[in-house]
Amino acid sequence: MDILQISQTALTVILGTIGLAIFGIIFGLFYKGVDRKLSAHMQGRIGPPIRQPFRDVRKLFVKENIVPENAISWIFHLAPLFGLVATISILLYLPIGGFNPLVISSGDLILILYLLILPSLAMVVGGFSSGSPYATVGAQREMATMIAYEFPLAIIIISMAWRLSMEGVRNVFALSSITSMPIWNFVGPLGFIGGIILLLALVLVTPAELSKIPFDSPEAETEIAGGLLTEYSGRNLAMFYLTDAVKTLVMASVIVALFFPYNLSPLFGLESYLAFAVDIIFYLVKVLLVVLFSVTLIRVAIARLKIDQIVYTYWVPITLLSLVGLIFLMWDQTFMVNFDIQPVFQMLGLA
């Protein structure tokens, strides 16, 4: 019986992983197409059709895969595959629509932070292994950018985990705990402001995670001819393209899980397949809105920053912004404890 259960669990994980991979690739490319279309309209252009990313990937997979003469061949080929696998792995730990994560652990949020680094590291390793001076410069810039944005990102996660711990939650780094107890459900006015500030900081971290304008100096075409991806072509470039698409969906899903984990089916009393359908559609709409505000609007409104400006932006203004959000959460906790106004919020339906 134990062997049968293990086999069923393994089969569920394998089939679930394949399903999530297909889901992540399809909707990642879809949102990439929507982002390009919306940004084109904002700039007064027609833009490519939404299905263009699917065409690009198909074309890249049939093109010749060229390896530079000075490249370390096996690393050059392995890096894009490693980045894509690492990005898809994050989907296993994220709640999608009304479904629970395929894999649940007590510290999956910390694991997600580490997994988010791997696609960028794959690009860095691939850039160094290509032997191109442009890719080397891009890899150096990518490492500096990673060091810069990881600090405010860590503050955001720790702030939310600390606030949950004040409510007596045990597994504060588990996404299941965060989604079951959204921060908006128990904070007061100061905590609400702190949550908005942390959300804003995470929205500003997202373009750097995805290497989008204005934080795309590692791939700046006008300066270093594509940087990290200069020497990549064919299926290897296609895999990096897919990595970027899936990571867009992943980052948007992380924001949704942390700040907007609500579903519509309980509100309308829906059950069974209809509930799942409504929740998935609502989830996709939330992801679209997050992509619009965290990627499209920012890259249309702001020009590319230099690498020193990127590092300064994340180490000073955005880090301070994250700390301000943490301070507001701390003040809110002190205010709620000292004045015991939680019953008032409950009577007003605010908590």
Side-chain angles (χ1 to χ4, degrees):
M1 189 63 180
D2 291 338
I3 297 177
L4 180 60
Q5 289 179 344
I6 294 173
S7 301
Q8 290 176 342
T9 303
L11 183 61
T12 301
V13 172
I14 292 172
L15 294 178
T17 301
I18 295 173
L20 284 173
I22 296 173
F23 174 85
I25 289 172
I26 291 175
F27 281 97
L29 291 174
F30 170 74
Y31 286 121
K32 196 175 181 68
V34 171
D35 168 53
R36 292 171 65 178
K37 192 69 173 180
L38 290 177
S39 62
H41 280 293
M42 292 177 185
Q43 295 171 339
R45 300 182 287 111
I46 296 177
I50 294 177
R51 64 182 180 275
Q52 187 61 43
F54 295 91
R55 293 175 172 178
D56 293 340
V57 170
R58 182 182 62 185
K59 180 180 67 176
L60 287 171
F61 269 112
V62 299
K63 280 186 169 292
E64 182 182 1
N65 198 37
I66 301 173
V67 180
E69 182 179 352
N70 296 325
I72 304 174
S73 180
W74 68 275
I75 298 180
F76 187 81
H77 287 298
L78 186 61
L81 178 61
F82 179 76
L84 180 59
V85 170
T87 308
I88 292 175
S89 298
I90 304 175
L91 290 173
L92 306 181
Y93 298 89
L94 295 175
I96 304 295
F99 296 93
N100 292 323
L102 186 62
V103 180
I104 299 176
S105 68
S106 58
D108 46 16
L109 195 54
I110 300 297
L111 179 60
I112 289 173
L113 287 178
Y114 280 102
L115 289 175
L116 282 172
I117 300 174
L118 297 184
S120 298
L121 283 178
M123 294 185 67
V124 169
V125 172
F128 279 128
S129 68
S130 69
S132 167
Y134 295 115
T136 300
V137 173
Q140 293 170 344
R141 292 183 177 186
E142 181 67 25
M143 288 191 296
T145 304
M146 289 168 55
I147 295 171
Y149 68 67
E150 286 297 330
F151 190 35
L153 180 59
I155 294 175
I156 295 167
I157 300 303
I158 292 173
S159 300
M160 299 193 66
W162 174 83
R163 190 63 183 86
L164 282 175
S165 68
M166 293 296 100
E167 297 298 317
V169 179
R170 295 185 61 185
N171 297 325
V172 294
F173 289 107
L175 269 179
S176 57
S177 300
I178 296 175
T179 54
S180 63
M181 292 187 62
I183 190 173
W184 316 113
N185 288 12
F186 50 81
V187 296
L190 294 177
F192 183 82
I193 295 173
I196 294 295
I197 293 174
L198 293 176
L199 173 60
L200 177 60
L202 185 54
V203 166
L204 294 175
V205 166
T206 300
E209 277 278 8
L210 302 175
S211 195
K212 301 295 184 184
I213 295 174
F215 306 110
D216 67 332
S217 65
E219 303 172 25
E221 293 85 356
T222 54
E223 299 175 38
I224 50 177
L228 294 162
L229 305 178
T230 300
E231 300 295 343
Y232 276 97
S233 59
R235 64 175 180 274
N236 284 336
L237 183 58
M239 283 190 284
F240 272 133
Y241 195 91
L242 290 175
T243 300
D244 175 69
V246 177
K247 196 173 182 181
T248 300
L249 178 67
V250 164
M251 282 303 300
S253 298
V254 169
I255 295 176
V256 168
L258 292 177
F259 293 97
F260 311 108
Y262 304 99
N263 293 316
L264 284 181
S265 57
L267 181 63
F268 295 104
L270 302 177
E271 297 179 355
S272 188
Y273 296 106
L274 181 59
F276 286 130
V278 169
D279 288 339
I280 289 176
I281 293 173
F282 186 50
Y283 158 78
L284 294 175
V285 171
K286 289 188 290 184
V287 169
L288 175 61
L289 293 175
V290 169
V291 171
L292 172 63
F293 284 98
S294 64
V295 177
T296 307
L297 290 179
I298 293 177
R299 75 186 187 91
V300 169
I302 306 176
R304 177 183 295 124
L305 300 178
K306 296 186 293 184
I307 185 61
D308 59 325
Q309 293 173 324
I310 292 174
V311 173
Y312 173 82
T313 299
Y314 280 108
W315 275 0
V316 181
I318 298 182
T319 295
L320 290 177
L321 187 67
S322 304
L323 291 173
V324 169
L326 173 59
I327 291 171
F328 269 94
L329 288 181
M330 295 172 66
W331 283 347
D332 179 75
Q333 172 66 17
T334 304
F335 187 70
M336 299 281 281
V337 170
N338 291 344
F339 294 93
D340 195 21
I341 63 172
Q342 188 70 12
V344 178
F345 284 116
Q346 293 175 348
M347 292 175 58
L348 296 175
L350 298 177

